[in-house]
Amino acid sequence: YPIEIHSLNDFDVVSSVGRRNIVRDSNKGITGWSWGIHSGSYTLEEVEALKVRAIKIKCNEKSASWAVLMRALDTNKFKPNTDYVISYDIYSNIGFGIQPSIRRGDAQQPIINNFETKTVSANMWNHISATGKSSTFSANGQVIYFASNLNPGDECIIANLKIEESVTASPYS
């Protein structure tokens, strides 16, 4: 869409359109997603939601220790000491707090570990947007980790996952 600039105050609108999504192949169902679990049983499936190929997560049996939902990212997409915003749409049959982190592929060194915790309301679509600043890190794969406190029967759907170099989220495109 063509955008007309009438003053320098309009520049922020132009610069926020079309920023690059660091998450490659977002909205392609379960592509790139996996579980890391100590014990228990969790399922991932592709569902259509918000007119995209989303991911549905379900807890069948709670882990006795830890469980994390993981989304692989391309390596070397993050810069040290830089502001990033993560945004996504989420629907769940329960309310809970969510705080993703981005770490090396071995789950050790945090790349962005300070995204704000956000509240997901039950039985409605929630648009989540959280900012964080990257640390100084060494590259060894880059993965988004969502810690899971789901109980049997709990489920949620995630769509429109986007990470941008910014402090404000732009619309998913």
Side-chain angles (χ1 to χ4, degrees):
Y1 298 99
I3 297 174
E4 292 183 23
I5 299 175
H6 299 286
S7 73
L8 289 179
N9 292 334
D10 292 337
F11 184 76
D12 286 341
V13 174
V14 174
S15 66
S16 69
V17 174
R19 287 192 300 241
R20 184 174 63 110
N21 185 359
I22 291 173
V23 182
R24 195 170 120 207
D25 294 332
S26 184
N27 288 340
K28 294 208 174 172
I30 62 172
T31 300
W33 291 93
S34 63
W35 277 105
I37 57 174
H38 174 263
S39 62
S41 170
Y42 299 81
T43 56
L44 300 174
E45 70 177 283
E46 180 176 318
V47 296
E48 183 177 331
L50 301 176
K51 299 182 181 178
V52 300
R53 292 170 52 196
I55 181 173
K56 182 178 181 180
I57 302 109
K58 183 176 182 183
C59 175
N60 302 310
E61 179 185 349
K62 187 175 177 89
S63 175
S65 182
W66 55 267
V68 290
L69 176 65
M70 302 177 291
R71 176 58 164 82
L73 301 170
D74 289 337
T75 57
N76 303 319
K77 297 290 183 185
F78 293 93
K79 301 173 193 169
N81 302 312
T82 303
D83 291 319
Y84 290 92
V85 61
I86 186 170
S87 60
Y88 49 95
D89 296 306
I90 186 167
Y91 184 96
S92 180
N93 63 344
I94 60 159
F96 61 98
I98 190 165
Q99 183 185 29
S101 66
I102 299 174
R103 296 177 171 270
R104 290 189 330 199
D106 60 7
Q108 295 303 307
Q109 185 182 33
I111 295 169
I112 303 174
N113 201 34
N114 60 346
F115 285 121
E116 307 116 309
T117 300
K118 298 292 184 161
T119 300
V120 175
S121 297
N123 301 313
M124 63 183 289
W125 280 102
N126 298 258
H127 181 73
I128 304 291
S129 176
T131 58
K133 190 174 197 84
S134 61
S135 62
T136 303
F137 57 88
S138 61
N140 178 14
Q142 297 171 352
V143 176
I144 304 169
Y145 292 90
F146 293 90
S148 171
N149 291 318
L150 298 177
N151 291 303
D154 294 349
E155 54 188 44
C156 59
I157 299 170
I158 297 175
N160 300 323
L161 177 63
K162 187 173 189 177
I163 300 173
E164 306 168 85
E165 186 179 323
S166 181
V167 292
T168 57
S170 64
Y172 187 87
S173 57

